Amino acid sequence: MSYILSLKNLILSRDGKKILRGVNLEVGDREIHSIIGANGAGKSTLAYTLMGLQGYEHEEGSIIFNGEDVAALSITERARKGITLAWQEPARFEGLKVRDYLAIGARGNGGITEEEIKEALRKVDLKPEKYLNREVGEALSGGERKRIELASIITMKPKLAILDEPDSGIDVVSLKEIVSLIQTLKENGSSVLVITHREEIAAASDKASLMCEGAILRSGDPVEISEFFKNRCIPCDSRVSPPKVE
Amino acid sequence: MAQITLNALSKEVEDITAAYTAAGGNAAVLHNHDLASLVISGNKVLSANGTEGIVLEKKETEHGVDVKLTIKKGYKIPLPVHLCFGLVPKDGLQEINMNFVAEEDSAVELIAHCTFPNAEKVIHKMDAEMLIGKNASLKYTETHFHGPHGGIQVLPKAHITIEEGGSYYTNFSLISGRVGYLEFDYSVDAEKDSICEMVTKVYGKADDKIKILEKISLNGENARSVIKSRLAITDNAESMFRGVTEGHAPRARGHVDCMEVIQGNAKAEAVPIVRVDNPLAKVTHEAAIGCVDKKEVETLMARGLEEDDAIDIIVKGMLA
């Protein structure tokens, strides 16, 4: 199987403490891969490290993306290679209209038509006529901003979309839509790395990995990993006795 | 109102029209006699056109023009009134004294473009007294275009009275070209059931200096107001914002909101002041000064933009 992303022994420390303790992970081409784990397991840190955000520079290990080590590349360079990130709490942009925001990611693909922008909004269940000219700012609810963030991933058409808890701030009814959206990203040619707590999203993945205390404990069938997380991890106080990495 | 047609001053007209266009204005509106308009270059009135319901009086002075603009009682002017003030030469003084009256139950929108494209040693002063009558409405948008030299002082000063049920909305924008020195000084007295919203947006560069002084006195019951200031400064520019709202009457509501983005060696100061002497009034404020939000920049970079382009989009959005 060919891998779009391969992490080897990724280590990141903060204030002398290892936040990522040697992460090893492989994400297949056009694979939906869920990262499951408790709060504080290092899931979001892993997402930020992969995107190359400031303050998340790893000190050891490699990030092989599409056959190339991208560890030394800037955020922009990684994005232009085809990696992007949807934040758990999307940024607010005062004065920036939704239509302009959705067009930004498509610049690298030769631009985008108005109809394609509208279609991306429809896919996240937002009416284009209502949202195209609104600001990506204060007046939108958390759920609306989340959907617009996901729409911006659709218009960008990345090779790897990292979605940091796309379900947070979204009601239970809408979970199906998120799952459907993730499938759409895959059908459009993207691999998707999803950070999530939700079994529903994990179950729709091709593969899942369980993260605990800054390391991947195990990877495999998403249903089994979800069950393991529910039955073994939630009751476990891993902070007292960190598990060994398999 | 007599109509002065564009005439022998054609070169000056041509220059000021070009500057007006550069400032974002549509020159065609200045020649459309269905629209009220006024064009002043230096101390010359190049054209003036009134329409039904508008009384426009003007008098050329040594260094500028005295203007009295009255919207007659009950008239809702359907199309905006276009104003163009400017000075094309690289030096000079322009003093505009404006007396504006919106009589009871009238409504009008004024769109002003102030253009100083070649300014190297120019002073533009505006002293305005504005009266928004009972249940009248004024929307006033003022956009400046200054060119690249920075040798300009812009000194707009206005006192506005909003009578019962009146509304006043103003949007002052100076984001194209160099600011030079700006001292913006507006004060408002808001009476019962009136509404006031003042927005200023300024982008300072190089050694520009920006001083924004705004004061709203909510004197009447249920008077409501917002002061909103958006400043971006870079290089060695300096800005000072002072926004005062006073709540003097029951159920008066006011808010002061200042956001400043600084880059380079720029220096910014923001002082929102709220004063309340009526227990049923409420005035709030917020002020933030800082660099461009890191998450916003990184989000746009994660969509493939270079950092400088991301910052440019964010700043322009804030000033839009």
Side-chain angles (χ1 to χ4, degrees):
Chain A
M1 182 178 186
S2 65
Y3 297 110
I4 190 78
L5 180 70
S6 177
L7 308 180
K8 290 191 171 57
N9 195 35
L10 206 60
I11 295 175
L12 180 143
S13 302
R14 276 268 172 78
D15 301 324
K17 188 191 172 194
K18 282 187 179 170
I19 309 295
L20 300 181
R21 299 186 298 131
V23 173
N24 294 295
L25 181 71
E26 285 166 336
V27 178
D29 194 17
R30 298 198 182 195
E31 176 180 277
I32 301 172
H33 193 123
S34 290
I35 304 284
I36 306 169
N39 287 333
K43 305 186 299 299
S44 292
T45 298
L46 177 61
Y48 300 160
T49 305
L50 295 179
M51 195 67 245
L53 303 191
Q54 191 187 353
Y56 293 88
E57 296 86 4
H58 65 285
E59 60 256 33
E60 282 185 47
S62 59
I63 302 172
I64 308 297
F65 173 71
N66 209 18
E68 181 186 355
D69 192 341
V70 297
L73 300 186
S74 68
I75 302 171
T76 304
E77 288 166 330
R78 292 184 200 201
R80 289 179 180 176
K81 295 278 181 192
I83 305 175
T84 197
L85 168 68
W87 271 254
Q88 182 181 350
E89 285 291 330
R92 298 170 187 272
F93 294 94
E94 183 172 350
L96 182 62
K97 289 182 176 166
V98 167
R99 62 163 13 111
D100 297 326
Y101 181 55
L102 297 193
I104 285 170
R107 288 184 184 188
N109 302 326
I112 191 166
T113 66
E114 176 101 345
E115 187 49 42
E116 286 171 317
I117 291 174
K118 288 179 179 174
E119 186 55 30
L121 286 171
R122 288 188 202 105
K123 281 181 178 167
V124 294
D125 203 28
L126 295 177
K127 290 179 180 169
E129 61 274 18
K130 188 177 170 190
Y131 288 92
L132 267 180
N133 289 315
R134 290 188 68 177
E135 286 182 20
V136 192
E138 298 292 332
L140 294 173
S141 72
E144 287 170 323
R145 283 191 293 121
K146 196 88 174 177
R147 289 165 194 266
I148 286 163
E149 183 79 342
L150 293 172
S152 78
I153 303 287
I154 293 173
T155 57
M156 186 178 173
K157 298 178 184 166
K159 289 190 178 77
L160 174 65
I162 305 164
L163 311 182
D164 189 9
E165 302 205 18
D167 47 276
S168 72
I170 302 265
D171 56 68
V172 177
V173 178
S174 302
L175 262 182
K176 282 185 184 171
E177 292 163 12
I178 298 293
V179 169
S180 165
L181 175 65
I182 292 169
Q183 295 287 356
T184 301
L185 287 172
K186 178 182 175 178
E187 286 159 17
N188 288 349
S190 298
S191 303
V192 186
L193 186 64
V194 195
I195 310 294
T196 186
H197 292 283
R198 307 297 289 253
E199 286 176 49
E200 298 92 329
I201 289 180
S205 305
D206 300 308
K207 196 172 177 183
S209 293
L210 178 64
M211 195 164 185
C212 180
E213 291 291 300
I216 301 293
L217 287 189
R218 55 175 64 197
S219 296
D221 178 75
V223 175
E224 285 177 20
I225 295 289
S226 277
E227 286 295 311
F228 186 92
F229 174 66
K230 193 166 61 178
N231 298 327
R232 300 279 297 278
C233 296
I234 292 176
C236 163
D237 189 351
S238 60
R239 287 165 197 278
V240 176
S241 175
K244 284 186 179 176
V245 177
E246 285 181 359
Chain B
M1 178 78 206
Q3 185 178 297
I4 300 171
T5 53
L6 302 177
N7 55 27
L9 299 165
S10 59
K11 177 70 174 79
E12 199 156 0
V13 171
E14 195 177 299
D15 288 346
I16 201 76
T17 302
Y20 178 78
T21 305
N26 174 5
V29 302
L30 303 178
H31 305 283
N32 183 340
H33 294 149
D34 293 330
L35 298 173
S37 65
L38 175 66
V39 180
I40 295 173
S41 177
N43 68 339
K44 294 189 182 71
V45 177
L46 299 185
S47 76
N49 186 49
T51 56
E52 189 180 355
I54 297 175
V55 178
L56 180 55
E57 299 166 66
K58 70 275 171 202
K59 180 184 163 196
E60 294 178 355
T61 62
E62 185 181 356
H63 294 297
V65 178
D66 294 347
V67 178
K68 184 168 186 192
L69 180 59
T70 304
I71 312 301
K72 292 167 75 175
K73 183 178 177 181
Y75 274 88
K76 317 279 188 197
I77 308 302
L79 296 169
V81 176
H82 292 268
L83 310 173
C84 173
F85 303 138
L87 201 58
V88 176
K90 59 187 178 184
D91 54 23
L93 166 65
Q94 183 180 55
E95 292 178 326
I96 305 290
N97 291 308
M98 169 79 82
N99 189 319
F100 174 85
V101 178
E103 292 182 349
E104 187 175 334
D105 290 324
S106 66
V108 69
E109 178 179 0
L110 304 182
I111 298 177
H113 286 86
C114 299
T115 66
F116 307 92
N118 307 309
E120 290 182 18
K121 200 172 178 184
V122 163
I123 299 174
H124 167 72
K125 291 175 74 174
M126 187 192 77
D127 208 335
E129 186 67 37
M130 306 175 105
L131 174 65
I132 319 298
K134 188 175 179 184
N135 297 322
S137 165
L138 168 63
K139 183 177 180 187
Y140 179 62
T141 306
E142 182 173 330
T143 304
H144 277 243
F145 175 70
H146 283 188
H149 303 299
I152 181 168
Q153 291 184 49
V154 176
L155 311 168
K157 185 172 184 180
H159 174 254
I160 301 102
T161 301
I162 315 172
E163 293 187 337
E164 182 178 340
S167 63
Y168 172 66
Y169 169 88
T170 181
N171 189 331
F172 177 92
S173 167
L174 202 175
I175 57 178
S176 294
R178 290 279 308 281
V179 172
Y181 177 77
L182 168 68
E183 187 170 320
F184 180 95
D185 183 358
Y186 275 36
S187 63
V188 177
D189 279 293
E191 303 305 329
K192 184 181 176 188
D193 294 326
S194 64
I195 297 172
C196 176
E197 183 175 336
M198 290 204 287
V199 179
T200 50
K201 296 179 177 180
V202 184
Y203 195 176
K205 309 167 193 80
D207 59 355
D208 291 342
K209 291 194 169 38
I210 300 159
K211 205 169 174 182
I212 307 281
L213 308 165
E214 294 172 304
K215 181 182 175 190
I216 299 177
S217 299
L218 302 168
N219 302 322
E221 200 172 333
N222 287 321
R224 285 158 287 159
S225 71
V226 173
I227 291 175
K228 181 176 169 182
S229 181
R230 295 290 181 266
L231 306 176
I233 52 172
T234 187
D235 305 325
N236 294 303
E238 294 179 15
S239 71
M240 198 282 279
F241 165 82
R242 184 184 169 98
V244 183
T245 299
E246 298 178 339
H248 298 304
R251 289 171 292 284
R253 295 285 182 270
H255 184 66
V256 183
D257 170 9
C258 173
M259 186 192 293
E260 299 193 44
V261 167
I262 62 167
Q263 298 168 260
N265 296 314
K267 293 186 182 73
E269 179 181 314
V271 186
I273 296 175
V274 296
R275 295 192 189 104
V276 175
D277 57 16
N278 187 296
L280 296 179
K282 184 176 180 181
V283 183
T284 54
H285 70 85
E286 58 186 308
I289 300 176
C291 58
V292 179
D293 184 79
K294 181 169 163 261
K295 185 190 269 187
E296 291 179 28
V297 175
E298 290 186 332
T299 297
L300 297 184
M301 290 173 74
R303 303 291 180 269
L305 293 188
E306 293 289 353
E307 184 174 7
D308 287 348
D309 294 334
I311 290 171
D312 194 46
I313 282 179
I314 293 162
V315 169
K316 282 181 178 163
M318 188 186 83
L319 297 174

